[in-house]
Amino acid sequence: MFELRNVLRLDALASGAVGLVLAALCAVLAEPLGIPVAVSLTAGVGLVGWAVFVGWVSSGLKPGLVREVISINVLYVLGSAAYAFLGGLTGLGVAFVLVQAVAVLGLTALQVTGLSATRPVTAG
């Protein structure tokens, strides 16, 4: 259905875009989302770094690194859900965090599917 390399690239692109928005607009987004500037800036810079890593993983498709991306994405989704409900965000902030968490969850599911499709079948 979706090629693993392309799913990873989409993950990198989306992570980088959200990271740039959070970092560049941290002061502007603080009030409407309820995300403190320091949290938004830290998350934004972290997501840009993550995007670079995921982009690099997409170039080699080493199963161990792909599993690392999947694992960290799962942790990110869980952390985002917890932050959405416990972080004191505005309604718009909760929606923002949950929408991107659902997007990451969808990409992660596609990565799991793509990784299992690329594994060599051993004769048994």
Side-chain angles (χ1 to χ4, degrees):
M1 186 161 120
F2 292 99
E3 184 183 337
L4 178 58
R5 183 179 318 278
N6 291 335
V7 174
L8 288 166
R9 287 177 178 163
L10 181 58
D11 187 347
L13 179 67
S15 297
V18 171
L20 288 173
V21 167
L22 286 173
L25 301 176
C26 57
V28 174
L29 295 174
E31 187 176 330
L33 299 182
I35 301 174
V37 170
V39 172
S40 184
L41 183 60
T42 301
V45 171
L47 282 170
V48 170
W50 175 248
V52 171
F53 174 72
V54 175
W56 175 73
V57 170
S58 77
S59 68
L61 294 180
K62 294 180 181 170
L65 291 175
V66 174
R67 282 191 292 276
E68 185 175 329
V69 168
I70 290 167
S71 298
I72 293 172
N73 276 347
V74 168
L75 291 174
Y76 184 83
V77 169
L78 294 173
S80 293
Y83 187 60
F85 294 110
L86 303 173
L89 303 175
T90 65
L92 183 60
V94 169
F96 175 81
V97 171
L98 289 180
V99 165
Q100 57 82 31
V102 168
V104 172
L105 185 60
L107 288 168
T108 303
L110 291 172
Q111 291 163 358
V112 168
T113 301
L115 181 61
S116 60
T118 60
R119 289 188 181 152
V121 178
T122 57

